[in-house]
Amino acid sequence: MSLRNNVSWTKNVSSFCYNPKSYLSNTAAESFLDELLKDLKSESLNDQTKISMLNLLIEFPTLLCPDKTTGEITTEILMNIFQQMSTSIKSISLKCHLLLAVETILIITDNFNWNCKAAQEFASLLMHIISDINDKKQGAANRPLRVTACECLRELENCYPGLLSQRLEQLYSMQQQEITSAHQSYTLLYSITLKDAIQLLAQKEGPSQGTLKQMLMSNGSFVWNATKDMRELHPASGEQLFLLPSNNETKELKSILALLLEDSYLFTAVCQNTLFWQIIQIVALVRTISPVIFKSQLVRLFGTKDISCFHSILQMKAVFTDSLFTAEDEHFLLQRLVGMTQHPLLFTPVKLFYLDCLLHFPENRPLNSNPGENLPVLLTVQMTSSLFPNIFNDYSTMLCRQNLLSMVYLENEGFHAERGIGYLFEHLLSLYSMVDKKVDREVTATFFRAVYLFVQYFHFCEQHMDNLRESLLDLYKRNSCLAPYFINLINQTQILLEFQTWPISLSKALQKQIVDLRMDRLSMNNLHWHLKILSKVAQENTIPQRSTVEFLRHVVLHSDLCQKGDWGLGNALLSVCKYVLQHEHLDIVFMDLANLLQYLMHHFEDIDIKDHSRLYYILLTNVSSEKLWKILNMSPTSGQTKARSLSSIMTESENFSTLLTIHNTEKTLLQLCPVLDNANIFPPSEEASREESTITECSLQDYYQQLADHRAFLLTLKYHLIFKGDIEEKYHKLFCIVLQFDLTDSHYEPIGDINVPCLYNDRNPPVVTVNLVPKDPYPSFLLVNATYSTHDGLTYHTRLDPLHLTFPELFVPLPAYSPMGARCHLFGKLWDALKPDDHNHCAESIFCYKMSESSFHNIVQSHFSRFLVSYHDQEYKIGILLPPQFHILMQACISKDIARFEIRTDNWKLLLHLNTHLLHVSCND
């Protein structure tokens, strides 16, 4: 296969990332991988393109290397590419990505072991790279490669604990000697290696005196089988894996740990947290080292505002408890957490983290061993009084604070706690008033979540619960469209309060409120929501259903529901009937329900509702209650039980839902193929076009003003909608195709859906016209989805390959003025105006390329003929307008086989894209 160029690889990488499985369904993974590895060796591709190709191996290793053999071969090829690369500074980034790709594939394909030659060579290569201490051999430019090698070794040690345990002396020597910015990476590598080595020793030696000093001085080979019997360490959970070496043995280890802690001041906050966690585990393993070694760090960490460093304190406290932290320290930390949850300079996610820390605070002497949410003993009502939620909080903070304070008031007694519960109820009423005024959907969701929390903690407060029920009833009375929220609240509180009656009392009260409605106040718009509530109430065997059935009969007899034949309302009404059929006390409403169903099957205008009313009537009058329940809950698939049954023979039936469901196709069936002379840009109306064509010579200010008046240029792209590859026969005829386009940036106005009536496999493909309105003239690509129906009535959804919009497709000639020659006059004015200075955003550049004179003229005529302004003295003047109001002007000539393009533009960001385009057309000529 021929080598791809930079542009084609960029398109293929983006298509692959968009939908890898769909891409590989059309192209074999093996052939794609072979092509990728082959082109990585090519010198015609630039490093940035190769990096994007390597990213595919890093992000999708299991798709491209599905087995061990493929993984080993791939890593060998990548290692050869790495070794053959030059020592140029420009290739450092590519080398770093090669190391990452090799490591990822070795780990994911389980090839990192002593049997794999590539794995051994890779581990040795990494050690060789990091041995260049302080950039003595390769220079400072090679430092990113050393840092990447350190991170690769750290990841390998993390995946294979103990791999470097015999190289502690060498790693410690390098860590101590390194004085550049790479020191941080060397330290983190050494710390995790030291922790894993001590863990291996503790696992081997047990509580007896071990060979700790010998281990610290080890400088052997890689320990490939170290993880064979490695146990996972959980120091915070009281893990009984430890060492008891003598003080003489731990003297050197203490010195090492002290130096590592001293170095922590130099690191970033995240790296400090990583280093502290490794040292915490070491101290937890070696019992003869006191946790007091961290005391000097606590003074600094107690006052930190960084979330990573504060997390380190909590980790220390979880592991060492009162052996490191006093009761005063614990009280101070709680006060600090309370303060940080409301710090005005912190972002909301950080504040929520600190709130969560209060609920999972590692106490010195916890009273509760439950790993879930628990309040610290020292957290009092007075300490948390400032955390009371209010309507000015964001909704997440509001709910988290309510949850915390509810636990505080629940676990405390007295006047302050009782008053706090009352304040929380008043907070609910504040949210209630906002929902009642129909503020927005987020407020409504927050209110019902807050209600759930209040019920969870204070369901025993009868007065508050009665008031809450009455408030909810008033809310539903004025906003029946909130029915789904009420149903969800009832469902969730029933799960929460298994033996409490409040959810049932709310259901019963809602039923009474609905069935008591007078017909003259019953809105057909709200009837759908009332039926949803009644359907839920009918599922409660403890609630009588006579009033519900009477209400339904009253509705169908005294309204035009049956005459209108609304299928949706009929379906909702039958849903209530279905659950009444399954009620324990069906015999009480037998006659009323039979009369209702009989009336529906004779008078409802919709034939589907009639048929299923007749079915329900037959079941009611001919089947026993036990068999009726089994039939209504029967699974459509033999041998399987499903929560959703055939009983809802409308939308809830399995067969009917199959027709309504949109199915996803695993393979991409369609594609948009560009039509020749695809792109065309013009003003959106004939009137605007006519006005622009008759503009006479004017000032540049008038010219720009007229551009602004007609800035809504349309970019029309024409494509053939065709089938992609071999397709199954059932897809040969597609109907009602809806193409949906999603923008990947903000450079264009949103695109509406495009409808295509049909697509037949044996007919000419239809032409699809896509209209784009540019806001910024930059290349882009569009994500395309299609929904369509097949001849068997099923609906499918598929993704198409992204549509790439290239830079030259945006080019528009300068307006054609009259009298003749005015375009050249405009070019001259613009050329002078686009000269860059301190007062504008213009830029100029020069593009040169070696080519023959014939090639130069051919390029201009082939790619820029529509934009030529003049040709004089062997010099072309090219004027390009880029919608909505930017320009590219070029003066092109050739001398001594060197083509020279002088460029000026009023948008410097366009130069990068223009340079790429000129380079592309020059190379491909």
Side-chain angles (χ1 to χ4, degrees):
M1 184 175 293
S2 60
L3 294 176
R4 298 179 183 267
N5 56 30
N6 292 299
V7 176
S8 61
W9 264 117
T10 301
K11 292 181 179 179
N12 276 272
V13 168
S14 63
S15 298
F16 189 101
C17 293
Y18 175 67
N19 193 337
K21 291 185 178 180
S22 174
Y23 187 93
L24 293 179
S25 66
N26 301 313
T27 303
E30 184 178 353
S31 61
F32 179 76
L33 178 62
D34 290 341
E35 184 181 355
L36 186 147
L37 295 174
K38 178 182 178 182
D39 285 6
L40 281 173
K41 303 175 185 178
S42 171
E43 295 183 359
S44 62
L45 298 181
N46 58 46
D47 284 358
Q48 190 57 45
T49 302
K50 291 182 179 180
I51 288 173
S52 66
M53 294 160 64
L54 287 172
N55 283 336
L56 295 183
L57 293 171
I58 297 173
E59 296 293 332
F60 310 99
T62 55
L63 293 177
L64 296 177
C65 303
D67 53 67
K68 291 186 67 173
T69 303
T70 306
E72 185 174 2
I73 295 173
T74 301
T75 52
E76 289 177 355
I77 294 174
L78 294 178
M79 286 286 291
N80 290 333
I81 294 174
F82 182 92
Q83 292 167 356
Q84 293 173 9
M85 290 182 64
S86 65
T87 57
S88 171
I89 299 175
K90 297 180 180 179
S91 303
I92 292 297
S93 180
L94 180 58
K95 286 185 175 181
C96 293
H97 281 78
L98 276 168
L99 293 181
L100 295 173
V102 171
E103 179 192 46
T104 302
I105 296 171
L106 285 174
I107 294 175
I108 294 298
T109 59
D110 199 23
N111 271 305
F112 195 80
N113 52 65
W114 65 276
N115 289 322
C116 179
K117 181 181 177 182
Q120 297 183 39
E121 292 179 353
F122 181 66
S124 300
L125 173 64
L126 294 177
M127 291 299 298
H128 174 72
I129 292 173
I130 69 171
S131 63
D132 183 18
I133 304 300
N134 298 321
D135 308 313
K136 292 181 179 178
K137 298 179 182 178
Q138 301 294 332
N142 200 56
R143 191 177 304 161
L145 187 63
R146 290 199 297 126
V147 172
T148 303
C150 281
E151 298 304 321
C152 287
L153 283 170
R154 184 154 68 100
E155 184 65 24
L156 290 173
E157 177 65 27
N158 194 47
C159 294
Y160 307 95
L163 174 72
L164 303 172
S165 58
Q166 295 299 317
R167 298 216 168 184
L168 282 174
E169 184 181 23
Q170 181 184 4
L171 293 176
Y172 184 64
S173 174
M174 289 190 286
Q175 186 267 340
Q176 288 292 296
Q177 295 179 54
E178 184 65 42
I179 60 174
T180 69
S181 58
H183 178 73
Q184 177 175 270
S185 298
Y186 281 83
T187 302
L188 294 180
L189 172 60
Y190 177 73
S191 65
I192 189 174
T193 305
L194 178 62
K195 184 267 295 181
D196 289 339
I198 292 176
Q199 184 181 347
L200 279 173
L201 189 60
Q203 187 170 304
K204 185 187 302 182
E205 298 288 340
S208 61
Q209 190 167 339
T211 55
L212 182 59
K213 188 172 182 179
Q214 181 181 354
M215 179 202 68
L216 294 174
M217 299 175 63
S218 60
N219 195 11
S221 59
F222 299 109
V223 185
W224 294 97
N225 58 348
T227 60
K228 185 176 182 181
D229 299 314
M230 192 73 163
R231 288 162 52 189
E232 192 171 356
L233 180 63
H234 298 287
S237 62
E239 178 70 49
Q240 295 302 310
L241 190 63
F242 59 89
L243 276 175
L244 289 174
S246 63
N247 290 330
N248 289 333
E249 277 195 305
T250 57
K251 184 177 180 180
E252 185 174 351
L253 179 58
K254 286 181 182 178
S255 175
I256 291 172
L257 296 181
L259 289 174
L260 291 177
L261 289 172
E262 192 174 320
D263 282 351
S264 66
Y265 291 89
L266 305 172
F267 300 162
T268 63
V270 175
C271 290
Q272 285 187 54
N273 175 261
T274 304
L275 177 63
F276 286 144
W277 178 234
Q278 303 301 335
I279 299 177
I280 288 170
Q281 295 178 84
I282 293 172
V283 176
L285 280 168
V286 185
R287 299 297 174 86
T288 50
I289 298 181
S290 172
V292 179
I293 192 174
F294 294 104
K295 273 291 184 183
S296 61
Q297 302 296 322
L298 293 183
V299 177
R300 173 173 64 94
L301 295 178
F302 272 166
T304 184
K305 67 176 181 179
D306 187 88
I307 191 171
S308 300
C309 292
F310 198 89
H311 189 249
S312 297
I313 301 178
L314 299 179
Q315 288 177 316
M316 293 178 192
K317 198 170 189 313
V319 176
F320 303 121
T321 62
D322 57 356
S323 61
L324 181 59
F325 294 86
T326 64
E328 289 77 12
D329 293 335
E330 190 169 62
H331 187 265
F332 174 80
L333 281 176
L334 285 173
Q335 287 183 319
R336 187 76 201 285
L337 280 172
V338 171
M340 297 299 276
T341 58
Q342 49 193 326
H343 198 290
L345 297 181
L346 296 179
F347 295 108
T348 297
V350 179
K351 295 180 184 178
L352 294 178
F353 167 78
Y354 287 121
L355 275 171
D356 193 65
C357 288
L358 284 172
L359 296 176
H360 298 85
F361 187 76
E363 297 180 90
N364 285 350
R365 300 184 183 277
L367 299 179
N368 195 331
S369 60
N370 182 10
E373 294 182 346
N374 295 290
L375 280 181
V377 175
L378 296 179
L379 193 65
T380 63
V381 174
Q382 291 78 9
M383 190 183 296
T384 57
S385 60
S386 60
L387 294 180
F388 195 85
N390 60 75
I391 59 175
F392 298 106
N393 295 134
D394 64 274
Y395 301 123
S396 298
T397 301
M398 189 188 303
L399 292 171
C400 289
R401 287 189 176 189
Q402 180 186 343
N403 182 54
L404 175 68
L405 288 176
S406 297
M407 296 179 68
V408 171
Y409 298 146
L410 187 64
E411 296 189 8
N412 290 272
E413 297 179 353
F415 170 73
H416 292 291
E418 292 181 3
R419 187 172 63 175
I421 297 174
Y423 286 158
L424 286 178
F425 187 76
E426 291 178 6
H427 171 65
L428 275 186
L429 294 182
S430 300
L431 287 174
Y432 163 82
S433 63
M434 296 173 65
V435 175
D436 193 34
K437 294 175 182 177
K438 301 180 181 179
V439 177
D440 59 32
R441 183 178 179 181
E442 191 171 8
V443 174
T444 303
T446 303
F447 167 70
F448 279 92
R449 289 170 182 165
V451 170
Y452 175 82
L453 287 175
F454 191 87
V455 174
Q456 176 183 357
Y457 290 108
F458 306 118
H459 55 84
F460 58 86
C461 300
E462 294 183 4
Q463 183 62 43
H464 288 311
M465 296 305 293
D466 290 343
N467 293 337
L468 179 59
R469 182 175 58 251
E470 294 304 317
S471 298
L472 289 172
L473 290 174
D474 289 340
L475 181 62
Y476 180 78
K477 186 176 182 180
R478 289 189 290 270
N479 298 280
S480 300
C481 60
L482 298 179
Y485 292 96
F486 280 86
I487 294 172
N488 181 260
L489 177 65
I490 293 171
N491 288 335
Q492 296 305 316
T493 51
Q494 281 183 315
I495 296 171
L496 180 68
L497 309 174
E498 186 175 357
F499 302 106
Q500 297 292 329
T501 60
W502 188 84
I504 300 297
S505 67
L506 177 60
S507 299
K508 198 169 183 178
L510 285 169
Q511 179 197 37
K512 186 178 186 306
Q513 181 171 286
I514 293 172
V515 299
D516 288 348
L517 287 172
R518 292 169 47 184
M519 281 303 300
D520 57 347
R521 295 185 178 180
L522 180 62
S523 169
M524 288 294 108
N525 294 330
N526 293 331
L527 179 60
H528 176 76
W529 301 118
H530 296 328
L531 294 175
K532 287 283 187 183
I533 294 291
L534 293 177
S535 179
K536 169 59 187 172
V537 175
Q539 299 175 48
E540 303 298 335
N541 286 320
T542 58
I543 301 178
Q545 296 300 310
R546 180 180 291 277
S547 61
T548 295
V549 177
E550 290 178 353
F551 172 76
L552 297 180
R553 287 189 63 207
H554 195 68
V555 169
V556 298
L557 289 172
H558 298 90
S559 71
D560 59 354
L561 176 63
C562 293
Q563 289 75 18
K564 286 185 175 179
D566 188 303
W567 183 88
L569 282 176
N571 181 30
L573 191 149
L574 285 179
S575 179
V576 182
C577 296
K578 177 198 69 173
Y579 288 112
V580 175
L581 284 168
Q582 302 174 66
H583 201 272
E584 280 187 2
H585 305 292
L586 175 62
D587 53 327
I588 299 176
V589 296
F590 181 88
M591 290 302 300
D592 292 335
L593 182 60
N595 291 335
L596 171 64
L597 292 172
Q598 193 174 37
Y599 185 87
L600 288 173
M601 72 186 201
H602 288 299
H603 295 89
F604 207 94
E605 288 298 323
D606 186 88
I607 189 66
D608 188 54
I609 301 300
K610 281 185 177 182
D611 288 344
H612 293 99
S613 299
R614 182 177 292 107
L615 174 61
Y616 281 168
Y617 179 79
I618 293 171
L619 292 175
L620 174 64
T621 56
N622 293 277
V623 180
S624 66
S625 298
E626 183 180 353
K627 290 184 178 179
L628 179 63
W629 188 91
K630 289 182 179 179
I631 292 173
L632 293 176
N633 289 278
M634 185 188 303
S635 170
T637 306
S638 59
Q640 297 182 358
T641 302
K642 295 187 177 181
R644 304 192 62 153
S645 64
L646 278 174
S647 53
S648 294
I649 308 180
M650 277 67 63
T651 56
E652 297 179 22
S653 71
E654 195 71 20
N655 294 333
F656 196 78
S657 65
T658 301
L659 295 175
L660 293 180
T661 302
I662 298 179
H663 306 275
N664 289 315
T665 59
E666 295 183 0
K667 183 179 179 181
T668 300
L669 301 178
L670 304 174
Q671 68 177 359
L672 290 171
C673 182
V675 179
L676 294 179
D677 298 329
N678 187 8
N680 185 25
I681 300 184
F682 53 88
S685 67
E686 293 183 3
E687 182 180 357
S689 178
R690 193 163 52 247
E691 289 177 2
E692 283 201 358
S693 66
T694 56
I695 296 176
T696 57
E697 292 189 24
C698 58
S699 66
L700 285 180
Q701 183 177 358
D702 295 334
Y703 166 71
Y704 276 108
Q705 182 60 47
Q706 294 192 53
L707 280 183
D709 293 339
H710 305 298
R711 64 184 302 171
F713 286 82
L714 284 179
L715 170 61
T716 62
L717 304 173
K718 294 184 182 293
Y719 297 92
H720 281 131
L721 180 62
I722 60 175
F723 291 100
K724 184 175 183 179
D726 296 329
I727 57 172
E728 300 178 39
E729 185 177 354
K730 67 177 181 178
Y731 299 121
H732 282 187
K733 294 181 179 181
L734 305 182
F735 307 94
C736 301
I737 306 167
V738 179
L739 298 175
Q740 300 150 335
F741 299 84
D742 294 322
L743 302 174
T744 57
D745 48 50
S746 59
H747 300 329
Y748 301 89
E749 297 289 348
I751 307 170
D753 296 346
I754 297 178
N755 299 309
V756 180
C758 60
L759 176 64
Y760 289 2
N761 188 44
D762 54 353
R763 297 185 185 178
N764 292 331
V767 176
V768 176
T769 301
V770 181
N771 292 323
L772 282 173
V773 179
K775 293 192 292 186
D776 293 304
Y778 303 129
S780 181
F781 65 93
L782 309 176
L783 306 180
V784 189
N785 299 281
T787 305
Y788 50 84
S789 298
T790 53
H791 67 279
D792 54 4
L794 297 181
T795 303
Y796 292 88
H797 176 270
T798 188
R799 289 180 175 177
L800 281 68
D801 294 334
L803 291 182
H804 291 269
L805 180 61
T806 61
F807 187 55
E809 288 179 305
L810 296 167
F811 292 177
V812 183
L814 292 179
Y817 299 109
S818 60
M820 294 298 294
R823 179 184 285 174
C824 184
H825 179 72
L826 175 62
F827 182 93
K829 282 189 173 183
L830 286 173
W831 183 264
D832 295 336
L834 266 53
K835 184 175 182 180
D837 56 39
D838 296 336
H839 305 291
N840 59 31
H841 297 284
C842 302
E844 63 182 350
S845 178
I846 296 178
F847 175 85
C848 296
Y849 198 87
K850 186 175 182 180
M851 63 179 69
S852 64
E853 185 172 345
S854 61
S855 297
F856 168 71
H857 292 294
N858 183 55
I859 287 174
V860 174
Q861 295 297 329
S862 299
H863 300 280
F864 300 105
S865 59
R866 294 172 53 222
F867 317 107
L868 286 180
V869 173
S870 67
Y871 176 64
H872 182 67
D873 292 338
Q874 302 296 315
E875 181 182 70
Y876 292 100
K877 290 186 178 181
I878 303 168
I880 301 173
L881 170 65
L882 289 103
Q885 54 181 357
F886 297 110
H887 300 81
I888 290 178
L889 306 180
M890 293 185 287
Q891 294 184 355
C893 62
I894 188 168
S895 176
K896 299 179 180 179
D897 289 341
I898 299 294
R900 174 188 173 93
F901 290 80
E902 295 184 37
I903 307 164
R904 286 187 182 179
T905 178
D906 44 11
N907 184 351
W908 62 269
K909 296 179 182 179
L910 300 175
L911 289 177
L912 174 63
H913 304 296
L914 178 64
N915 185 72
T916 303
H917 176 58
L918 290 174
L919 188 61
H920 175 71
V921 299
S922 299
C923 293
N924 294 335
D925 183 65

